[in-house]
């Protein structure tokens, strides 16, 4: 309901804004008051009495202006953290309402107001972001956006580490060693921040102990967040805060709270790494500090590549991976089924967008915590099934497929269940009609196949009139002997073949005539080559 209210507020402001400044070009402050102040407040602190994130002093305003421009153009959904507080609201996209000049004026005003001291931006920068993201479908999520434009750290001299000493040891351990019984290889004073580069170029079988101080603005709780592949133990003011035991095969995550006092607080951080898999990232927040990184990097700073961490099904159990995937819309859910068939489903578009065979996913890029960008499928025979909504209500099947969901359709993702083999059944709905989508692997005549079984529930009083599910889209979709050939690489057929039809370079599953009750429909995707 609250998200709907936000959308209505912004829509009303946008609708009345065209004639107010007809005689002269409005200023950034005027445009902000017209389009933004209703939610973010005239003073940038968030509208009174409503949980809207502030722009005054926000880390989201600082640094790369393309982050803020991207949010305005394409919107933002799912939780974000602003000044150590979580907000879970949806900001609708405004790119179709505001010109490049208007966006630049608003962003420049915000970046220079209420204590923000960032440089203004030009309409050319906005135009560049608009062009670079013109194919984007769906709203940004915070993790996805921050992969492209990470938040800048707070000034290191304020809340970073000070008086830092790094002591390095060599050895191979299964668990954190007793450093009192070891002789160090080196002990150096460092300027900070905490960095694995302090190991002096060592890449395996080593340990580091960092000791130093952290300043705090007052007496409060400090929140610490850590991600580490190696073993990690942290002490603050002499008290153990957390302990990530043993050597990991990928990043493990932990968080804990400790009492901080105004001024200097002592710390000790112990890290060991067995073998070549390593990485460390650590942040803290609390009081008036906001979120602040304590480490400079979470992987080898001298390396331009990421470690290979190949995910695959094991012991008959499917593998799941949720992150930014090349060729997919936001909120991707990728699944590696036992037997070498893989697929990617977007919870934003409610569509299966990629299928491929062979290897599943190399998680090295993302599991190295700040690995940016999108990861491509690791296997072969990758087939794009198209992007955009997987469901739509059409007046007739020949209508153009929409670029996004209409609000009154109430399309939504409702999660997934896992069976004994860790295979998801995906649940999504449009209005009152719900769909349970169960993709499963098959092999026939040496060719790999993916079966999708849809259980469509039309409750009493609901109507499926005009409802279609898009199975695939492509430049080349043609009728074949057994079904439909998609771009010459994969064939799709259905048990109820009369429900499949080609319209506007899309293969659709007709759901428009389903009566009240529960209906089971099946389709099969088969690669044309082994």
């Amino acid at each position: 309901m609250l998200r709907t209210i936000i959308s209505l507020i912004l829509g009303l402001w946008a609708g009345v804004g065209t004639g107010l400044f007809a005689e002269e070009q409005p200023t950034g402050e005027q445009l902000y008051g017209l389009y933004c102040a209703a939610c973010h407040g005239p003073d940038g602190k968030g509208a009174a009495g409503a949980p809207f994130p502030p722009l005054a002093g926000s880390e989201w305003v600082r640094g790369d202006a393309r982050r803020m421009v991207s949010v305005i153009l394409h919107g933002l959904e799912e939780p974000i953290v602003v000044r150590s507080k979580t907000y879970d609201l949806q900001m609708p996209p405004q790119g179709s309402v505001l010109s490049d000049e208007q966006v630049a004026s608003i962003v420049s005003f915000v970046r220079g107001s209420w204590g923000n001291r960032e440089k203004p931006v030009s309409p050319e920068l906005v135009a560049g972001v608009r062009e670079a993201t013109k194919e984007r479908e769906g709203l940004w999520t915070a993790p996805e956006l921050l992969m492209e434009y990470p938040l800048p750290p707070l000034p290191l001299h304020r809340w970073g580490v000070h008086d830092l000493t790094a002591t390095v040891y060599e050895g191979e351990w299964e668990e954190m060693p007793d450093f009192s019984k070891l002789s160090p290889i080196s002990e150096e004073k460092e300027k900070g921040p905490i960095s694995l580069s302090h190991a002096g170029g060592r890449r395996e079988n080593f340990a580091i102990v960092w000791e130093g101080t952290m300043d705090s603005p007052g007496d409060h709780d400090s929140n610490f967040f850590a991600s580490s592949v190696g073993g990690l133990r942290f002490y603050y003011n002499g008290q153990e805060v957390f302990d990530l035991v043993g050597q990991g095969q990928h990043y493990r995550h932990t968080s804990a709270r400790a009492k901080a006092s105004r001024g200097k607080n002592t710390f000790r951080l112990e890290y060991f790494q067995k073998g070549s898999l390593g990485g460390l990232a650590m942040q803290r927040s609390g009081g008036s500090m906001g979120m602040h990184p304590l480490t400079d990097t979470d992987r080898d700073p001298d390396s331009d590549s990421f470690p290979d961490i190949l995910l695959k099904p094991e012991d008959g159990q499917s593998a799941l991976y949720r992150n930014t995937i090349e060729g997919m819309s936001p909120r991707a859910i990728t699944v590696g089924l036992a037997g070498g068939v893989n697929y990617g489903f977007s919870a934003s578009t409610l569509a299966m967008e990629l299928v491929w065979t062979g290897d599943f996913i190399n998680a090295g890029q993302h599991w190295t915590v700040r690995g940016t960008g999108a990861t491509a499928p690791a296997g072969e025979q990758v087939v794009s099934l198209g992007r955009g909504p997987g469901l739509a209500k059409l007046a007739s099947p020949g209508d153009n497929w929409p670029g996004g969901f209409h609000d009154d359709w109430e399309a939504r993702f409702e999660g997934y269940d896992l069976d004994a083999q860790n295979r998801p059944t995906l649940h999504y709905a449009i209005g009152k009609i719900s769909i349970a989508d169960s993709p499963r692997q098959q092999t026939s005549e040496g060719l790999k196949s993916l079966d999708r079984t849809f259980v469509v529930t039309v409750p009493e009083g609901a109507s499926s009139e005009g409802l279609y599910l898009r199975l695939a889209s492509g430049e080349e979709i043609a009728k074949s002997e057994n079904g439909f050939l998609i771009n010459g690489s994969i064939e799709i057929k259905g048990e109820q073949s009369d429900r499949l039809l080609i319209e506007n370079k899309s293969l659709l599953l007709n759901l428009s005539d389903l009566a009240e009750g529960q209906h089971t429909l099946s389709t099969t995707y088969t690669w044309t080559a082994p």
Side-chain angles (χ1 to χ4, degrees), residues 2-22:
L2 184 55
R3 294 183 178 189
T4 302
I5 292 172
I6 297 170
S7 299
L8 288 172
I9 289 172
L10 291 176
L12 287 170
W13 279 116
V16 302
T18 55
L20 293 181
F21 304 106

Side-chain angles (χ1 to χ4, degrees), residues 291-336:
M291 186 69 75
H292 186 75
L294 301 173
T295 52
D296 69 335
T297 182
D298 41 43
R299 61 189 179 95
D300 179 1
D302 299 319
S303 173
D304 292 327
S305 61
F306 296 90
D308 287 331
I309 305 176
L310 190 64
L311 302 185
K312 58 183 178 181
E314 294 183 355
D315 301 324
Q317 298 289 301
S318 298
L320 275 70
Y321 187 70
R322 301 192 66 170
N323 217 305
T324 307
I325 305 298
E326 186 174 299
M328 288 195 64
S329 301
R331 301 174 69 196
I333 302 168
T334 56
V335 181

